Amino acid sequence: MKHALHRILLLQLLTTLGLHALGSEIINGEKVPDNKMLFMASVQNSRNKHICGGFLINKDFVVTAAHCDDGNTSVVLGTHNLKKIDDTMRYSVKRCKHPSYEKVGKGSDIMLLKLSKKARLNKRLQPISLPKTKTKIKKKNPCSVAGWGLTSVGKPVDELQMVNVPIVDLDVCKNEWPNMLPENVICAGGYGTDKGFCQGDSGGPLVCNGKAAGVVSYNWKKDCGYPNRPNVYTDVSKYLPWIRKMMKDC
């Protein structure tokens, strides 16, 4: 009886967590080569523990998800292996969250982190470009997502993982998320495929045609093995005016 009660309480807890999905987990991916994804950032808390992903867009700013605002005080740049970090790789940050953000299911899940000092660009650290205008990504576009954390077999990893994900047509995505899909999002992976992110791989980039097209936002109730709804990303192109403004005002 006691065990059954524990199971019920656990189920209630998971249901309450719902869409919220901190952490990172790449499903059915592979290790990122040393010369790829040089813009990736590990967003960390006051205990220097990884909580979210992010991506460097210039020497002063990292983009991540607004729901990653969890007391993060620093980012780590310039390494794919979180066990190989030195003081030159860590930057304290100022958080600038989108003012319209309430929770992931309502959209605007994007945040800028202003670095306390300019990033030291080198052969292991380079920024990623943003889309120049509002764009609609075609289904056949090659896209990928990357992050640190658990894998599909449930083992934590310290080395950056990546996986290719197919774009899901937005009309299809709306049908799969009836009355639950906010504006200004991109759907990719996690639907009709066993590839995607889990626990958000939060804040990391959806990379399409070499540009940061999206920010990892949420999936369906942490269903990571074979999610029955598409993974959802914030559409970076829809927030370009805000990003430019924050680059001056943050």
Side-chain angles (χ1 to χ4, degrees):
M1 183 69 177
K2 183 183 293 185
H3 293 302
L5 179 59
H6 285 170
R7 285 196 297 271
I8 292 171
L9 291 174
L10 178 60
L11 178 61
Q12 289 176 336
L13 174 61
L14 292 175
T15 301
T16 300
L17 288 174
L19 300 175
H20 294 282
L22 291 174
S24 58
E25 183 170 338
I26 291 295
I27 303 303
N28 294 323
E30 59 186 10
K31 179 182 172 182
V32 177
D34 288 342
N35 63 342
K36 303 290 186 183
M37 300 279 186
L38 303 181
F39 42 78
M40 286 297 297
S42 170
V43 180
Q44 305 202 345
N45 62 19
S46 59
R47 300 183 301 279
N48 293 342
K49 298 294 184 182
H50 173 83
I51 58 173
C52 278
F55 49 98
L56 185 73
I57 58 171
N58 61 28
K59 290 183 178 181
D60 296 302
F61 286 96
V62 164
V63 175
T64 188
H67 80 258
C68 291
D69 186 8
D70 188 33
N72 26 42
T73 58
S74 68
V75 298
V76 170
L77 299 166
T79 183
H80 285 359
N81 190 334
L82 296 185
K83 282 191 173 180
K84 296 181 179 179
I85 298 173
D86 61 46
D87 290 341
T88 66
M89 298 174 179
R90 187 176 299 281
Y91 299 77
S92 57
V93 297
K94 176 184 177 182
R95 303 188 298 275
C96 300
K97 186 165 54 175
H98 196 282
S100 298
Y101 175 77
E102 296 179 25
K103 59 182 180 179
V104 290
K106 289 192 174 183
S108 299
D109 190 10
I110 187 169
M111 176 169 63
L112 260 62
L113 302 175
K114 185 175 183 179
L115 305 180
S116 59
K117 57 185 177 181
K118 291 187 180 297
R120 299 180 180 181
L121 304 183
N122 53 46
K123 65 180 181 179
R124 296 304 308 275
L125 178 61
Q126 292 292 323
I128 186 172
S129 298
L130 300 180
K132 294 186 183 300
T133 59
K134 292 182 180 181
T135 56
K136 183 177 181 180
I137 302 172
K138 298 178 180 179
K139 288 179 63 177
K140 293 183 180 180
N141 276 27
C143 298
S144 58
V145 61
W148 290 274
L150 301 177
T151 65
S152 59
V153 294
K155 295 181 180 179
V157 295
D158 296 296
E159 294 185 288
L160 187 65
Q161 305 288 307
M162 66 179 289
V163 67
N164 294 328
V165 290
I167 295 295
V168 179
D169 183 83
L170 200 55
D171 289 333
V172 172
C173 197
K174 288 177 180 177
N175 288 334
E176 295 300 319
W177 288 94
N179 303 316
M180 298 174 67
L181 194 69
E183 296 294 323
N184 302 329
V185 297
I186 299 170
C187 299
Y191 172 77
T193 177
D194 61 354
K195 299 181 185 299
F197 62 73
C198 186
Q199 270 74 11
D201 218 340
S202 304
L206 175 70
V207 181
C208 303
N209 296 324
K211 299 183 185 298
V215 182
V216 173
S217 186
Y218 64 89
N219 67 352
W220 177 247
K221 292 186 177 180
K222 302 185 180 181
D223 182 1
C224 307
Y226 293 93
N228 56 2
R229 299 194 187 190
N231 293 172
V232 180
Y233 300 76
T234 303
D235 186 344
V236 170
S237 74
K238 302 299 194 300
Y239 292 90
L240 290 174
W242 177 79
I243 291 173
R244 295 188 191 105
K245 184 177 186 298
M246 285 297 99
M247 285 181 179
K248 297 177 182 179
D249 299 342
C250 182

